[in-house]
Amino acid sequence: MTVVQLSVNGKDVSLDEDRPVTLLEALRSRLDITSPKDGCSPQGVCGCCTVLIDGRPVMSCRKELSEVEGKSVTTLEGLDEKRRETVARAFAAAGGLQCGYCIPGIAMRTVDFLTRTKNGSSPDRATIKKALSPHICRCTGYEKIIDAIALCAKHWDSDELPPLPAEGGVGSRTVRYQGLEATLGLKPYVDDIKLPDMAYGATLLSQHPRAKVLKIDTRAAEAMPGVVCVTTADDIPGDRIVGLIEKDWPVYVKVGEETRCVGDQLASVAAETREIARAACEAIVVEYEVLEPVTSPVDALRPDAHQIHEKGNHLRRCEVRRGDINAALDGAHLVIEESFETQRIDQAFLEPQACVVDPTGDVFKVYTQGQGVHDDQLQLAAVLGVPTDNVYVQLMSNGGGFGGKEDLSVQAQAAVLAKKAGRPVKLTVSRDQCAVLHPKRHPIWMDYKIGFTQDGMITGVYARMIGDTGAYASVGDKVLERAAGHSCGPYNVPAVDVVADTVYTNNLPCGAMRGFGANQASFGVEGIMDRAAEKLGLDSYQIRERNLLKEGDKFSTGQLIDSGVGIKETLEAVKDVYYAAKNDPTKHVGIGCGIKNTGIGNGMNDEGRVSIDVKPDGRLRIATGFTEMGQGLFTILCQVVHEETGLPIASMDVECVSEKSTLCGMTTASRATMLDGEAGRRAAVKLKAALDAAGGDVRKLEGQTFHGEFICDFTVKPGPKTAHMDNPITHVTFSYATQVVVLDDKGALEKVVAAHDVGRVMNRTTCEGQIEGSVHMGLGYALTEDLPMEGGFPLSTNYDDLRILRAKHTPDIEVRLIEVKDPHTEYGAKGVGEIGLVPTAGAVAGALHEFDGIWRVKLPMRGSAAARAILPKKLREDDHP
């Protein structure tokens, strides 16, 4: 054993080292310094763990503790108060954070960058972008991070601190709830929790996508010093099979069963340290009979294919049919026929899966990062074999989700470990495990045939889609259902014939991801709109303008569009940009229009519930069941209560908990702001009435609770039964967008202008940030991001190999907000989180065609000039342009 001596935040520290340990691990587990976050260790590519070593920024997961012998390490905790407050206020004021997980590392980079910037200088945006190169932010699109650093620079050598916007009600720029704390790393995520007598968990994954498990030998692991317990399928007291819709996903695969993907879990270990737990997992011996996996959805549908599940490989079919498609196509002046293919994508949230379960009280207390505390509660109670009320789930900070944290990941394993150990257990996975545990975005193959009149009006849409949902259902059939329902885009189509099939394979599961099938369909329909425009002598703006949905028209599913339609306004909002680029010989421009449902709909209820408790000294506890994962829900709830009551936002605390008063479904379908905004308003109106009766003294209401709910239970599932209905309402409402992508004379990304009908701007800063972030994600989807698999294995689990755009790759993004009020709620808000990347890929493809004349049919478009300007040389060549 050696002793490493160093200085940490100005204090001399001596740490024993009996094995190689990273600086990040030493800071977090031994010194309880948690502002550096573990996003990808030991890969060292995301920047979340950045600290200063002898005054220079270093990713602490890359440094062994022994390498910093005698050096000085500074974290956010060690900065002087003026620097801390300057950075925190700048990021909060500019909206430079969403989920916040990456921000402490970026804040440390900011400190170094501005310290080295000459006094009095104001770095330009290009310089700031370059400085951010070591960092990845999955949420913001970097625009507001750059704004934050620029604001910080203005006050770096000033006695004045960056000003914070005044708190306000609906429509204001009120700063993000706990934004100051999150910037400084003080807002706790699950992996930051440390409970008394807590053990640490690790889990063992299958080594093969398809193999029969012959034996699981845990004896060596159980004999290791420091191991508390080992759990397998035999230790589950209740249900072993879970799932949000289909119960088809085993908590553990048991001996005698086949694995279905490399993300299957076989056993877990609880130990006194995480390192012992992970080493014990490696000591577990598993004997397999390796079998040939089914990796193609087309092959999976063959009669002689291996059946991955007893019910077969065909999970579900969705049909959307209305009108006479044969007559519509036969009578068309022009029919465009094309096949499209989209890729598998990782949500790539920066916070790996983690869960803490405390079994020592009257109930199992679960600290989660998931997107649905109530669904977690139901499933965990079933796994543990206890009544639902015996499980209480509380959301900690969520470090990004994008749909990837809807399904259970390690919550059930942590719960089973905690039950067996009889003490709290924290289970956090590595980045390599994170890459295979959660469902991804579906790759979808689409065959389109669309008819047009001579003047460019659509006569009918015919499409066939097949999606690879991987080993387990997750919400895969709902994704394909959404793709079919959005197959016509935001256009008026008289005849529709669309069939979408969801198929099991032995690939990684696919489920919810931002856009949820709508962006896959959009890539197809927008591509055909551009092809038709060229054939008919129109430009891409004109053909879209002629076909846009208006009030009284029918959506793809037959639903009549109501008074809240704002697609025309979004198109008109970018007309100047489109034609300015169109008429500039040095520019190349593409345009895309999009529509996205707000609320799940399709026959499922959309419910929002909010309770407001008055606490001692007049503080308010606002409780919701929806997850705050960067979209700004907690901030908006505070604004709503302030709007209706006038009470100060500083007196409000917000929690996401599995209480009956907050009962709702998953935080999905861009619905939380609409549903809980209205539910919160109704609760606040009741509070206001009581407040007035109490003479305005909120302290007189101590102990009282005010409840509000908003329930939409009127939608129907698309299918044969809806084909002949006059108005099959498949969704509560929709949001709309038009985006323009401009390339320079070399075909590289230059600018994106995104006009979005959001119904009502609830918080201007967070609304802009959501759209900027989703456009950034859409650009990666269009050009660079991919998660290729071969033989059921991902080709890489390295975070950097996902090819997420960094700040220096991201063009300027301009957001233009349109407010066409939705009629269903008092405020009229619509979903924002997903629509931002629905039209992006189509607009990029259109701009690329303007540049080089090539029609593109496959994502990502890595061989294009725009992608070549981003990717390293070794990845610039691909099998498609």
Side-chain angles (χ1 to χ4, degrees):
M1 180 180 293
T2 60
V3 177
V4 177
Q5 295 182 331
L6 67 158
S7 171
V8 178
N9 294 330
K11 297 180 180 180
D12 292 335
V13 173
S14 297
L15 295 174
D16 295 336
E17 186 179 39
D18 57 358
R19 59 175 180 80
V21 59
T22 66
L23 174 60
L24 174 63
E25 184 184 337
L27 290 171
R28 290 183 57 84
S29 65
R30 300 192 186 183
L31 299 178
D32 293 332
I33 295 174
T34 57
S35 67
K37 305 303 179 187
D38 187 347
C40 70
S41 70
Q43 296 174 10
V45 296
C46 75
C48 290
C49 65
T50 298
V51 301
L52 301 182
I53 300 179
D54 289 343
R56 298 308 299 267
V58 175
M59 294 183 202
S60 56
C61 76
R62 284 185 173 182
K63 286 289 183 182
E64 297 290 337
L65 180 59
S66 58
E67 294 182 81
V68 295
E69 169 82 38
K71 298 183 182 295
S72 175
V73 176
T74 305
T75 69
L76 284 169
E77 289 86 346
L79 298 179
D80 69 72
E81 197 55 38
K82 168 62 167 56
R83 288 284 187 250
R84 284 167 58 83
E85 197 167 355
T86 298
V87 172
R89 289 172 68 96
F91 273 80
L97 72 160
Q98 290 185 27
C99 85
Y101 198 79
C102 67
I103 298 303
I106 291 175
M108 288 305 297
R109 180 77 52 181
T110 300
V111 170
D112 169 71
F113 173 66
L114 295 181
T115 299
R116 291 187 293 108
T117 300
K118 293 181 180 180
N119 291 341
S121 67
S122 296
D124 59 26
R125 298 183 74 82
T127 302
I128 296 173
K129 283 185 176 184
K130 185 177 180 180
L132 288 170
S133 293
H135 295 266
I136 289 177
C137 176
R138 192 57 162 164
C139 296
T140 66
Y142 305 105
E143 287 287 329
K144 286 182 168 38
I145 291 177
I146 297 167
D147 293 341
I149 296 174
L151 178 60
C152 199
K154 291 180 181 179
H155 295 270
W156 196 246
D157 296 310
S158 168
D159 292 333
E160 296 181 357
L161 293 168
L164 295 175
E167 67 176 33
V170 171
S172 71
R173 289 191 181 271
T174 297
V175 298
R176 180 175 295 276
Y177 178 77
Q178 295 185 337
L180 296 165
E181 295 90 336
T183 301
L184 296 175
L186 300 175
K187 183 180 173 187
Y189 297 85
V190 174
D191 196 42
D192 297 332
I193 296 174
K194 183 173 281 189
L195 300 179
D197 195 35
M198 186 173 73
Y200 296 82
T203 196
L204 177 68
L205 305 184
S206 172
Q207 295 179 331
H208 306 281
R210 182 182 170 220
K212 187 175 182 179
V213 179
L214 303 178
K215 184 179 181 180
I216 302 176
D217 188 346
T218 64
R219 289 173 296 178
E222 291 169 328
M224 290 179 64
V227 168
V228 176
C229 66
V230 179
T231 56
T232 65
D234 294 335
D235 295 294
I236 297 175
D239 295 346
R240 187 173 60 88
I241 309 299
V242 297
L244 291 173
I245 299 173
E246 296 286 329
K247 304 299 181 186
D248 63 356
W249 202 328
V251 174
Y252 295 120
V253 176
K254 66 181 182 180
V255 173
E257 290 182 338
E258 288 187 11
T259 64
R260 297 186 177 97
C261 68
V262 291
D264 275 335
Q265 299 183 61
L266 304 178
S268 301
V269 175
E272 299 300 340
T273 69
R274 179 178 301 168
E275 296 67 45
I276 294 173
R278 290 181 175 177
C281 277
E282 293 179 4
I284 296 173
V285 178
V286 182
E287 295 182 13
Y288 299 95
E289 178 188 347
V290 179
L291 303 168
E292 186 69 23
V294 180
T295 59
S296 160
V298 174
D299 291 342
L301 292 177
R302 299 186 191 282
D304 59 348
H306 164 70
Q307 300 302 294
I308 297 166
H309 292 272
E310 288 185 10
K311 60 189 175 185
N313 294 339
H314 185 238
L315 174 59
R316 202 91 74 230
R317 166 168 288 185
C318 177
E319 300 178 3
V320 177
R321 290 189 170 102
R322 58 180 175 83
D324 188 338
I325 190 63
N326 292 326
L329 296 179
D330 290 344
H333 171 76
L334 171 70
V335 175
I336 302 289
E337 190 169 354
E338 189 66 271
S339 296
F340 299 91
E341 179 182 343
T342 66
Q343 77 279 41
R344 180 181 293 99
I345 290 283
D346 194 330
Q347 293 87 348
F349 40 78
L350 279 164
E351 177 198 26
Q353 294 94 337
C355 183
V356 173
V357 179
D358 183 355
T360 59
D362 296 333
V363 300
F364 286 87
K365 181 71 179 288
V366 180
Y367 300 91
T368 183
Q369 56 178 217
Q371 290 182 226
V373 291
H374 291 284
D375 283 280
D376 281 9
Q377 180 189 38
L378 287 170
Q379 292 187 88
L380 292 178
V383 170
L384 292 168
V386 300
T388 304
D389 289 344
N390 283 24
V391 176
Y392 186 89
V393 182
Q394 179 172 352
L395 174 78
M396 299 301 294
S397 301
N398 171 292
F402 314 110
K405 290 178 179 174
E406 290 189 16
D407 299 83
L408 293 179
S409 57
V410 295
Q411 295 98 314
Q413 290 76 14
V416 175
L417 282 171
K419 180 177 177 63
K420 186 171 183 178
R423 55 193 278 198
V425 172
K426 175 166 67 179
L427 202 172
T428 304
V429 303
S430 67
R431 173 53 61 179
D432 287 310
Q433 287 188 323
C434 174
V436 299
L437 268 178
H438 62 274
K440 316 301 179 185
R441 185 189 299 286
H442 284 75
I444 299 181
W445 292 260
M446 302 173 288
D447 295 326
Y448 262 100
K449 191 185 299 184
I450 301 182
F452 296 86
T453 65
Q454 191 169 358
D455 58 359
M457 304 298 289
I458 298 173
T459 64
V461 169
Y462 173 96
R464 294 294 181 265
M465 304 177 177
I466 183 169
D468 179 358
T469 207
Y472 300 106
S474 181
V475 292
D477 68 305
K478 297 300 178 184
V479 173
L480 269 293
E481 186 177 84
R482 198 78 75 239
H486 287 67
S487 57
C488 300
Y491 305 114
N492 183 32
V493 179
V496 180
D497 187 332
V498 178
V499 177
D501 290 299
T502 313
V503 183
Y504 286 116
T505 67
N506 288 120
N507 292 321
L508 294 176
C510 290
M513 186 176 174
R514 198 179 208 171
F516 207 88
N519 42 353
Q520 290 99 318
S522 178
F523 177 59
V525 71
E526 292 299 295
I528 288 186
M529 295 295 282
D530 286 335
R531 288 159 172 78
E534 183 180 74
K535 293 281 187 182
L536 296 170
L538 302 171
D539 65 39
S540 293
Y541 186 99
Q542 291 169 332
I543 196 167
R544 286 168 171 81
E545 183 180 41
R546 297 181 185 190
N547 286 283
L548 291 178
L549 287 166
K550 59 184 181 300
E551 185 177 353
D553 286 344
K554 289 188 174 183
F555 178 58
S556 305
T557 61
Q559 176 176 346
L560 295 178
I561 296 296
D562 58 26
S563 61
V565 57
I567 185 63
K568 179 182 177 183
E569 288 83 350
T570 68
L571 183 68
E572 292 173 344
V574 299
K575 187 174 183 177
D576 60 332
V577 179
Y578 176 81
Y579 281 111
K582 186 81 172 171
N583 296 323
D584 186 338
T586 68
K587 311 294 183 190
H588 309 278
V589 64
I591 190 169
C593 294
I595 184 171
K596 179 68 178 66
N597 58 292
T598 299
I600 293 177
N602 284 351
M604 299 181 71
N605 285 1
D606 287 290
E607 303 176 356
R609 292 181 174 87
V610 171
S611 65
I612 305 172
D613 301 326
V614 182
K615 297 294 185 180
D617 299 324
R619 291 200 66 80
L620 303 182
R621 174 192 182 250
I622 304 171
T624 174
F626 284 127
T627 294
E628 166 62 69
M629 49 189 175
Q631 81 276 43
L633 174 65
F634 283 10
T635 311
I636 288 169
L637 288 176
C638 291
Q639 290 177 255
V640 166
V641 175
H642 175 76
E643 175 85 11
E644 301 299 333
T645 67
L647 293 171
I649 289 176
S651 70
M652 302 175 194
D653 302 306
V654 190
E655 292 183 348
C656 174
V657 290
S658 62
E659 297 171 5
K660 288 184 172 64
S661 63
T662 68
L663 184 62
C664 64
M666 276 287 164
T667 313
T668 188
S670 303
R671 63 181 180 167
T673 294
M674 178 193 72
L675 295 175
D676 261 12
E678 179 61 18
R681 185 194 68 82
R682 295 179 181 188
V685 167
K686 295 176 183 178
L687 170 58
K688 173 61 173 172
L691 188 64
D692 289 345
D697 188 351
V698 69
R699 291 172 296 180
K700 294 181 180 179
L701 304 178
E702 181 181 332
Q704 296 189 40
T705 296
F706 302 89
H707 181 69
E709 65 178 34
F710 178 51
I711 299 174
C712 303
D713 57 1
F714 48 77
T715 65
V716 297
K717 183 181 177 66
K721 293 182 179 179
T722 63
H724 305 291
M725 294 174 65
D726 292 335
N727 184 20
I729 300 175
T730 50
H731 295 98
V732 178
T733 192
F734 303 91
S735 52
Y736 305 91
T738 301
Q739 295 180 1
V740 170
V741 173
V742 180
L743 308 180
D744 64 19
D745 58 349
K746 296 179 181 176
L749 291 171
E750 182 174 282
K751 186 173 184 177
V752 178
V753 178
H756 283 249
D757 168 26
V758 302
R760 174 76 181 275
V761 176
M762 300 295 282
N763 182 302
R764 189 161 294 272
T765 301
T766 60
C767 188
E768 292 167 349
Q770 277 286 284
I771 294 168
E772 290 161 357
S774 54
V775 168
H776 166 266
M777 189 176 284
L779 292 172
Y781 178 54
L783 293 170
T784 60
E785 291 189 42
D786 199 2
L787 183 62
M789 299 189 69
E790 189 173 294
F793 294 91
L795 295 186
S796 173
T797 56
N798 187 288
Y799 194 85
D800 199 38
D801 288 341
L802 297 173
R803 298 303 165 192
I804 296 165
L805 271 62
R806 294 180 184 261
K808 64 182 179 181
H809 304 136
T810 305
D812 292 339
I813 301 170
E814 178 187 342
V815 175
R816 299 180 177 183
L817 297 178
I818 310 296
E819 295 180 286
V820 178
K821 182 178 179 180
D822 183 76
H824 295 90
T825 64
E826 184 69 23
Y827 297 136
K830 301 170 185 173
V832 174
E834 296 176 275
I835 181 67
L837 56 67
V838 169
T840 314
V844 173
L848 287 169
H849 177 261
E850 289 274 309
F851 172 72
D852 59 17
I854 298 173
W855 291 120
R856 288 165 170 86
V857 298
K858 184 178 179 182
L859 297 180
M861 297 176 280
R862 281 190 171 179
S864 67
R868 287 168 183 261
I870 296 168
L871 293 168
K873 290 181 179 180
K874 65 180 180 179
L875 285 178
R876 288 179 185 171
E877 299 300 328
D878 208 342
D879 59 356
H880 59 282

